[in-house]
Every structure is written in C-alpha cells, then in structure tokens.
Amino acid sequence: MTLPGLLHYFPRKTDLLLAILEDRDRATNELIADAGPSWAANREGLRKLVRRNVQIPHIVQMFSTLNSESLGKCHPARDWFEARSHYVRDGIAAALRHAQDAGEFRKDFDPDVVATEVAATMDGLQVWWLRMPDRVDLIQQFDDYLDRLDRSLAV
C-alpha cells in the first residue's frame, strides 16, 4: 500500500494504532467466545489471553502506551479505551455475578468492583512484565492472582 493510500484509511497515527488494537480485540474475543456466563470459563479465557499476550509483547506495549496517553481529555483514543474498559469490566462482572447466583461465590462483594480489580491487575502486571521481563512471570503471577481471588470469593 502506498503512503497516500494508508493515509486515506488512517489519517492519524492513532487511527492506525486503534485499528491494530481492534484487530487484537477481535482475536481476543475469539479466544473467549465460548466462555458463556460461567466464571470458570471466563477465568480460563483470561488465562488464555495472558498466554497469547506473552507471545505479542510489541502489541501489549502499544496497547499500554496508547491506553496511558488516552487519559488526556482531548486524546483521539479516549472514547475507544473508555468504551473498551466498560465492556471488559461488564463482561467480567457478569461472570462473577453468575458465580454468585450459582452459589459458587459469596454474595457480600460487588462484582463491578472485583471486575475492575481483575482488569487492573492484568493491565498492571503487563506493564511490570514489559519493564522487567526477566523478573516478572506474567503467566504465573496472573494465574496465582486468579487462584487467590477464587479462594477469597468462594463460599
């Protein structure tokens, strides 16, 4: 593709980066598409996602950088990241609520709060892993976190 052709479809660098992230999210959704409402299936989907992310550190770095940059009120990616944050939190919270309704988890916690914690833990661990890949085992630390979470929420 020529530069004028590229600029026709992606007039700003942010537009191109968001297209790459949207493609990554489509692939992510395919990883967890069969999860359904259960927490166990969603937890495994999150684990698969972390394993996949370890294989694409350059995309994870781009995501983390653009996510931070989009905190500015006028940033062109702000709306995309805000919508994505709600979508991710709502999906995790729904699976946690399902576990509560099924009697697997206690009812004395707010699934939205815990879902925010799960997403923030994943994002935060990814940043630490990018910074210190020789000292942070992203897969093991996220697996351990989910195991501790399950134990803390279990009936």
Side-chain angles (χ1 to χ4, degrees), residues 7-39:
L7 292 173
H8 172 74
Y9 292 104
F10 307 105
R12 299 174 300 190
K13 178 175 123 178
T14 303
D15 297 323
L16 176 59
L17 297 176
L18 286 174
I20 293 167
L21 292 176
E22 286 172 1
D23 186 60
R24 182 197 82 143
D25 277 358
R26 273 191 292 281
T28 296
N29 288 338
E30 289 174 13
L31 273 179
I32 58 176
D34 297 333
S38 88
W39 169 247

Side-chain angles (χ1 to χ4, degrees), residues 102-113:
E104 299 166 15
F105 284 165
R106 301 183 334 263
K107 297 228 182 228
D108 64 344
F109 70 90
D110 183 339
D112 289 327
V113 171

Side-chain angles (χ1 to χ4, degrees), residues 81-93:
F81 275 97
E82 190 165 315
R84 184 184 184 282
S85 295
H86 287 289
Y87 170 78
V88 168
R89 185 196 61 201
D90 292 349
I92 296 170

Side-chain angles (χ1 to χ4, degrees):
M1 179 174 273
T2 65
L3 181 58
L6 184 67
L7 292 173
H8 172 74
Y9 292 104
F10 307 105
R12 299 174 300 190
K13 178 175 123 178
T14 303
D15 297 323
L16 176 59
L17 297 176
L18 286 174
I20 293 167
L21 292 176
E22 286 172 1
D23 186 60
R24 182 197 82 143
D25 277 358
R26 273 191 292 281
T28 296
N29 288 338
E30 289 174 13
L31 273 179
I32 58 176
D34 297 333
S38 88
W39 169 247
N42 276 270
R43 180 186 59 225
E44 290 313 306
L46 291 170
R47 286 182 163 149
K48 286 179 188 176
L49 173 59
V50 167
R51 282 161 176 71
R52 184 174 152 276
N53 283 351
V54 166
Q55 298 171 355
I56 53 169
H58 56 288
I59 300 292
V60 175
Q61 182 178 7
M62 183 182 66
F63 171 88
S64 298
T65 301
L66 196 57
N67 189 11
S68 294
E69 289 175 356
S70 75
L71 294 172
K73 291 192 184 300
C74 296
H75 194 279
R78 182 179 178 88
D79 291 343
W80 187 88
F81 275 97
E82 190 165 315
R84 184 184 184 282
S85 295
H86 287 289
Y87 170 78
V88 168
R89 185 196 61 201
D90 292 349
I92 296 170
L96 292 167
R97 271 190 203 87
H98 184 270
Q100 284 178 321
D101 294 343
E104 299 166 15
F105 284 165
R106 301 183 334 263
K107 297 228 182 228
D108 64 344
F109 70 90
D110 183 339
D112 289 327
V113 171
V114 175
T116 300
E117 173 189 311
V118 171
T121 299
M122 180 185 285
D123 287 352
L125 280 172
Q126 287 178 158
V127 170
W128 280 82
W129 166 69
L130 289 167
R131 187 169 307 284
M132 297 182 286
D134 56 327
R135 295 179 60 194
V136 175
D137 183 337
L138 179 59
I139 293 171
Q140 188 61 56
Q141 286 191 246
F142 191 68
D143 284 352
D144 291 348
Y145 164 75
L146 289 177
D147 290 344
R148 283 191 308 277
L149 179 67
D150 283 356
R151 286 193 304 274
S152 73
L153 299 178
V155 173

